[in-house]
């Protein structure tokens, strides 16, 4: 039987607490809620925080790449980038090989803002894994990486 015609158990049979996409949404919703106050204290929204987080580890991505990394719609990302640039937290530069393409970079002020938020993000992430042995954490992350590979549309 092909994947398209394969019979799957109904959600009622599986139950919400056994349906991985539901659990992942719940977990990310709680994670975002745990850091929302700290984000607001430094003037960040979720798209702006994700942008600074990505730029803290990826040097000068193209805007289309940044949209993939941040999991933010390009129109929402564009507004966030406008605000971040106005606030002096990022800078945009034309790509050296394609003047129509734009790369985004973190400024020193942007890095400082992210570094203020990072301890809260790290503590919230650690809370997710409280009581879970390191080996299980590594296995879980490896599984998530495989799942992302299975469904991704981009190479990043």
């Amino acid at each position: 039987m092909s994947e398209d015609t394969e019979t799957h158990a109904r959600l009622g049979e599986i139950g919400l607490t056994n349906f991985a996409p539901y659990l992942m949404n719940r977990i990310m919703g709680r994670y975002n809620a745990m850091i929302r106050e700290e984000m607001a204290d430094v003037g960040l929204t979720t798209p702006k925080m994700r942008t600074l987080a990505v730029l803290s580890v990826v040097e000068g991505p193209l805007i289309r790449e940044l949209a993939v990394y941040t999991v933010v719609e390009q129109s929402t990302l564009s507004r966030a980038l406008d605000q971040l640039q106005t606030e002096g937290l990022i800078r945009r530069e034309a790509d050296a090989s394609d003047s129509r393409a734009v790369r985004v970079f973190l400024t020193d002020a942007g890095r400082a803002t992210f570094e203020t938020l990072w301890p809260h993000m790290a503590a919230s992430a650690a809370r997710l894994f409280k009581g879970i042995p390191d080996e299980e954490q590594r296995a879980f992350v490896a599984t998530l990486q495989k799942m992302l590979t299975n469904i991704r549309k981009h190479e990043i």
Side-chain angles (χ1 to χ4, degrees):
M1 211 181 289
S2 79
E3 194 173 309
D4 293 337
T5 60
E6 188 177 323
T7 303
H8 297 283
R10 300 178 65 78
L11 183 57
E13 296 167 325
I14 298 169
L16 287 176
T17 59
N18 292 310
F19 188 58
Y22 169 78
L23 293 172
M24 290 185 287
N25 278 326
R26 287 273 316 267
I27 290 165
M28 285 315 303
R30 288 302 314 137
Y31 174 81
N32 287 331
M34 286 189 287
I35 63 169
R36 192 168 289 125
E37 186 176 324
E38 287 80 10
M39 286 189 316
D41 287 348
V42 292
L44 296 177
T45 60
T46 299
K48 290 164 72 174
M49 173 274 297
R50 288 180 184 173
T51 298
L52 296 183
V54 169
L55 293 176
S56 76
V57 294
V58 178
E59 181 70 20
L62 294 167
I63 290 177
R64 68 177 172 268
E65 294 169 338
L66 188 56
V68 172
Y69 280 122
T70 59
V71 194
V72 173
E73 292 287 332
Q74 208 152 349
S75 60
T76 302
L77 179 61
S78 181
R79 286 189 300 277
L81 292 176
D82 289 344
Q83 293 167 0
L84 288 167
Q85 186 166 359
T86 298
E87 295 162 4
L89 303 179
I90 61 134
R91 72 178 192 285
R92 299 181 223 194
E93 296 178 10
D95 182 66
S97 60
D98 180 356
S99 61
R100 296 169 298 161
V102 175
R103 294 194 175 273
V104 183
F105 296 88
L106 199 57
T107 64
D108 289 342
R111 186 166 304 282
T113 298
F114 178 72
E115 292 301 326
T116 298
L117 184 59
W118 172 245
H120 302 285
M121 294 173 66
S124 294
R127 184 174 170 199
L128 295 173
F129 287 102
K130 182 180 177 184
I132 301 172
D134 289 346
E135 185 176 317
E136 280 186 53
Q137 290 181 40
R138 285 190 298 277
F140 176 69
V141 170
T143 298
L144 290 175
Q145 291 167 341
K146 290 174 187 174
M147 291 169 73
L148 180 58
T149 298
N150 289 343
I151 64 167
R152 73 181 180 196
K153 294 181 179 181
H154 308 279
E155 288 301 311
I156 54 177

